[in-house]
Amino acid sequence: MHIAKKVVENLHLLRVDDPDTRFFEGLWEIPEGITYNAYVLATDEGSVVFDTWKGRYADEFVEAVKEVTPLSKVRYVVLHHGEPDHTGALPTFLKAVREAGSDPLVLGHPMIKGMVESMYGIKLRFKPVKDGETLAVGDTELRFIYTPWLHWPETIMTYVPEHEALITCDAFGAYSIPPKAFDDEFDDLRWYEKHVMRYAVNVIGKFRQHVVKALEKIRSAGIKVSVIAPSHGIVWRRDPSFIIDIYRRFGEGTVTKGKVVVIYSSMYGFVENIIDHVVKELELRGLTVTTFRFTEYEHSRLSELLGELADAAALVVGVSTYEGGVVPSMEHVVNLIAKKAAYPGRPALVVGAYGWAPTAGRIVKDALTKAGYEVIGPIEVKGALTDEVKSALNAAVRELSEKAT
Ligand code: FEO
């Protein structure tokens, strides 16, 4: 299903809803689905198409473009980012446009030509754009802004001064298939924040400092932004500050005081016993706990776990020693935290259980310390909880709570 709607005057949104992708990038669980947004600026001097959709929707993309401009009028195609969720429909689209009698000039970062030509085995009529370069089209002058690592090195944005609109590709995007396209069609958008944070940490987490840099670059460019048009999710034309604020908090790693994320694996229940004790003590101290588990009965979603870490004031990790190392499920989780959710200075408590040798706790502690966390522990038990271990856990929880509030 797709939407072709006017954002403002001659700037149009083309959005397709993808409820079928269950693992975005083959990695992240997204039961809520995702949208791919492209845009068209239709002028008397020809039309500019900004990005496309994922390849499986290529034919539908061609039809959507035709709803807002004749293909023969397509004069430019701007590619903000090479990833296939935005370029997959490009080969089919260019073929259709050429058959309609136009041979559009493709614009983008110098790197994108090689990426796209290699991915799809096509040749582009291409012009690289420089950071800050402008292009006069119709009554407006498009301005291209380099925003590297949001989310690949070649990523750019386009500013449309006529409409004070910033077309931002992945940045300011989110998971989910919102029931409406624009922020002004919703009374309350608090439900959307979790989809933004999950998407941002999953996809851009490693590069979150570049969000801060991009925001500063946009601010210092002296441009007025009244519309934010991302490539995933809601388009912002009533209150762009809502999505800017979420991304600023994501980029800066702003914490919610008193929020603790607990992640553990338990093979036979020994680690779970420790975690139950720790969670009870945390809650007695008034902290809010969100728990993710990898057990015989349940495996939590990695995409949600990373999203919740975005503003957590503290982290608790519970882990078993397995074959002399870290149980593989938690080895993967800790690796993801180090890649996507490294928050220097945040406190973390490591607890664990072992059968014959306590090695997992130390390995996890080293990995989290390397990622910047200030680690308490490890506190590990050989099987059942003892009063002595409970006392050590209580002291560790007290220390963690003081740092998290
Ligand atoms: Fe939505 Fe990095 O692609």
Side-chain angles (χ1 to χ4, degrees):
M1 194 193 101
H2 75 262
I3 293 170
K5 271 193 166 178
K6 190 179 287 190
V7 179
V8 54
E9 296 177 28
N10 61 341
L11 180 64
H12 303 270
L13 161 70
L14 306 179
R15 170 182 130 174
V16 69
D17 300 344
D18 177 1
D20 299 320
T21 292
R22 311 311 295 168
F23 300 93
F24 188 63
E25 297 183 325
L27 290 167
W28 314 114
E29 311 92 333
I30 51 165
E32 69 268 63
I34 192 164
T35 77
Y36 312 110
N37 304 344
Y39 299 88
V40 175
L41 184 73
T43 82
D44 292 342
E45 295 176 14
S47 296
V48 187
V49 175
F50 301 92
D51 302 312
T52 70
W53 296 340
K54 195 174 177 180
R56 70 184 299 192
Y57 302 106
D59 293 337
E60 195 173 348
F61 181 72
V62 174
E63 294 309 308
V65 173
K66 286 199 280 194
E67 290 178 40
V68 298
T69 184
L71 294 184
S72 58
K73 291 240 177 159
V74 175
R75 188 172 168 196
Y76 299 105
V77 178
V78 176
L79 300 180
H80 292 116
H81 174 31
E83 197 161 15
D85 51 335
H86 309 296
T87 57
L90 185 70
T92 300
F93 175 61
L94 287 178
K95 184 168 177 283
V97 172
R98 285 174 188 144
E99 285 170 2
S102 181
D103 189 10
L105 188 62
V106 178
L107 305 169
H109 187 283
M111 287 176 72
I112 204 168
K113 179 177 188 285
M115 284 180 181
V116 169
E117 289 188 343
S118 296
M119 281 194 279
Y120 306 115
I122 58 175
K123 287 288 172 199
L124 302 178
R125 192 166 82 83
F126 183 79
K127 179 183 179 300
V129 298
K130 296 190 181 75
D131 190 17
E133 187 172 334
T134 59
L135 175 75
V137 194
D139 296 330
T140 198
E141 192 168 68
L142 304 178
R143 179 168 166 184
F144 306 108
I145 302 168
Y146 281 19
T147 48
W149 301 109
L150 302 180
H151 114 260
W152 281 0
E154 86 299 5
T155 310
I156 66 171
M157 296 181 183
T158 300
Y159 182 62
V160 188
E162 184 185 10
H163 304 310
E164 298 174 348
L166 193 60
I167 305 173
T168 60
C169 204
D170 278 343
F172 308 115
Y175 292 146
S176 80
I177 299 175
K180 303 285 184 184
F182 303 107
D183 65 334
D184 48 49
E185 297 176 293
F186 295 92
D187 293 329
D188 185 348
L189 277 165
R190 280 173 294 184
W191 62 273
Y192 192 60
E193 179 167 343
K194 73 171 188 280
H195 300 295
V196 178
M197 278 298 191
R198 284 177 60 191
Y199 166 82
V201 180
N202 292 180
V203 177
I204 313 176
K206 184 177 171 68
F207 308 119
R208 67 187 171 86
Q209 284 87 354
H210 292 273
V211 171
V212 179
K213 287 181 187 169
L215 287 171
E216 176 53 26
K217 186 172 185 177
I218 293 163
R219 191 197 63 76
S220 62
I223 55 177
K224 187 173 178 205
V225 178
S226 301
V227 175
I228 284 192
S231 287
H232 302 287
I234 289 172
V235 179
W236 306 83
R237 60 183 185 185
R238 176 180 62 192
D239 183 15
S241 68
F242 184 93
I243 190 72
I244 290 172
D245 179 59
I246 298 175
Y247 264 77
R248 185 184 304 285
R249 284 187 275 124
F250 157 65
E252 292 177 350
T254 306
V255 301
T256 299
K257 281 193 173 181
K259 174 176 175 178
V260 183
V261 167
V262 173
I263 309 166
Y264 71 96
S265 74
S266 195
M267 297 164 67
Y268 297 106
F270 294 115
V271 175
E272 195 153 55
N273 284 341
I274 305 170
I275 291 295
D276 287 347
H277 183 84
V278 167
V279 168
K280 198 171 78 188
E281 289 296 314
L282 285 166
E283 289 179 341
L284 279 174
R285 290 177 172 278
L287 287 99
T288 305
V289 180
T290 307
T291 304
F292 297 91
R293 52 183 66 81
F294 299 87
T295 70
E296 297 163 281
Y297 308 109
E298 182 181 344
H299 276 200
S300 295
R301 291 187 181 120
L302 297 169
S303 62
E304 289 178 7
L305 171 164
L306 290 174
E308 288 296 325
L309 275 177
D311 67 336
L315 167 66
V316 176
V317 174
V319 66
S320 316
T321 291
Y322 179 91
E323 295 179 350
V326 181
V327 66
S329 57
M330 290 304 289
E331 193 170 41
H332 184 47
V333 167
V334 169
N335 190 25
L336 287 177
I337 291 172
K339 279 186 197 307
K340 300 282 189 178
Y343 295 106
R346 287 196 196 175
L349 168 62
V350 176
V351 298
Y354 61 95
W356 63 92
T359 56
R362 182 184 47 76
I363 296 169
V364 170
K365 176 176 183 163
D366 289 349
L368 292 178
T369 301
K370 204 170 162 194
Y373 286 86
E374 292 181 3
V375 179
I376 303 165
I379 298 172
E380 294 172 284
V381 295
K382 187 169 180 168
L385 265 179
T386 62
D387 287 343
E388 189 184 353
V389 175
K390 283 182 185 172
S391 296
L393 289 172
N394 293 351
V397 167
R398 191 182 319 122
E399 186 182 346
L400 191 78
S401 302
E402 284 165 2
K403 291 179 173 172
T405 51

